[in-house]
Amino acid sequence: MNLSESARAVFAVLAEAGTATRPQLAAGAGLSKPTVSSAVAELEAAGLAACSGTASGGTGRSAAVYGLGPAAGAVLAVDLGPSRTQVRGCALDGTLLAQGTGSRPDAAGVVSDILAQLPEGAPLRAVVVAVGDVTIQAGEGERPATAKAGPAFDAMAVALPSGVPVHLENNVNCAALAELHEGAARGRDTFGYLRIGVGIGLGVVIGGQVLRGANHAAGEVARLPYPWDEDRQPRHEGLEAHLGARSLLRRASDAWCDGDGPRPRTVERLFALADGGHTTAHAVVGHHAAEIGRLAAAATAVLDPGLMILGGDVGSNPQLLPGVRAELARLSWPTEVVSSALGGSGTVLGATELAVARGIQTVTEGVPVKH
């Protein structure tokens, strides 16, 4: 977009603030008031900014209040989960415009529905898709691809308007970013986000930034050697197979006694029984908590994050906290352990933050954006 440097800077400040007066824009962009006035006029002419009202100052004088204009556009955030897809459409100031949920196979349909609900004529500036995989961005003009996303991602990509930048991000990294800004890690700049569900993963935040690593594979704890003893050879992603939800249910079935009643067929049922005082279910959950605690201890030994957040369909259950805390305290140094504050919405919220930042950068052509 052919904007002056000052107009791009003012747009970035306005998108971050949502609404602002010219003096506020001048302060945020570090520009003179005459320069900001010229930049605002340029943005208004392009439909990127619009006057939304007035605000009274302390001297009784009123000032025009500006917000984003209709041409600023929107962004799309997609959590392409193993069984469920969540989609959010937002304006570039973060305002939620539309959201929807569906099965993974119906991801393309959910995306199409959300796109249809966005303001007519609003350009789509960026799309961020959270996937359970190591992600590396494609080259300019190319669609990104990932081995584990599969047909659902391919169909969804076809449903998107051509020419819109599509960015892939690891789902655990997205959830960690959401916890940093909106969840259990607010006020902290270093922590680990440990997701336990169908699979396992670790989001690492250091100094307020998500650690991605040389291969964009930081936090892939599924690759930790398991089992690790003299008599057995470590298996590829063996730890994920051992700690994942399917294995938890198999162990529960193996531990079930004749007098225990019907075996739980879902993790939710297992935790409900444990919460109700069922002896075998309580023991299985306690053992699982201890094993998660050992994984947390391994991560803590390397990172010393000070805070470990437990998330995922299994990990976020508060029944796990006592066992994880006890095992981590036994094996490592003091580390706070808490449950996710955002539950199942964390990934799509983190993807939304990234999408908004990407969308603003699309308009401002790389002007740094706070997020």
Side-chain angles (χ1 to χ4, degrees), residues 50-102:
C51 182
S52 59
T54 58
S56 298
T59 61
R61 300 176 63 183
S62 61
V65 176
Y66 293 91
L68 296 182
V75 297
L76 209 64
V78 182
D79 173 13
L80 194 62
S83 59
R84 182 178 63 161
T85 298
Q86 296 184 76
V87 183
R88 301 177 96 236
C90 290
L92 267 62
D93 61 2
T95 300
L96 179 64
L97 301 174
Q99 61 182 336
T101 303

Side-chain angles (χ1 to χ4, degrees), residues 53 55 62 70 132 202 242 270 278 287 304 313 324-325 343 360:
S62 61
L202 177 68
H242 179 68
L270 174 64
H278 190 289
H287 179 73
D304 186 21
D313 291 341
V324 174
R325 287 169 173 165
I360 295 171

Side-chain angles (χ1 to χ4, degrees), residues 80 131-136 143-150 153-154 168:
L80 194 62
V131 295
D133 198 3
V134 175
T135 61
I136 298 177
R143 287 281 188 180
T146 176
K148 293 183 180 179
F153 175 79
D154 295 338
L168 289 177

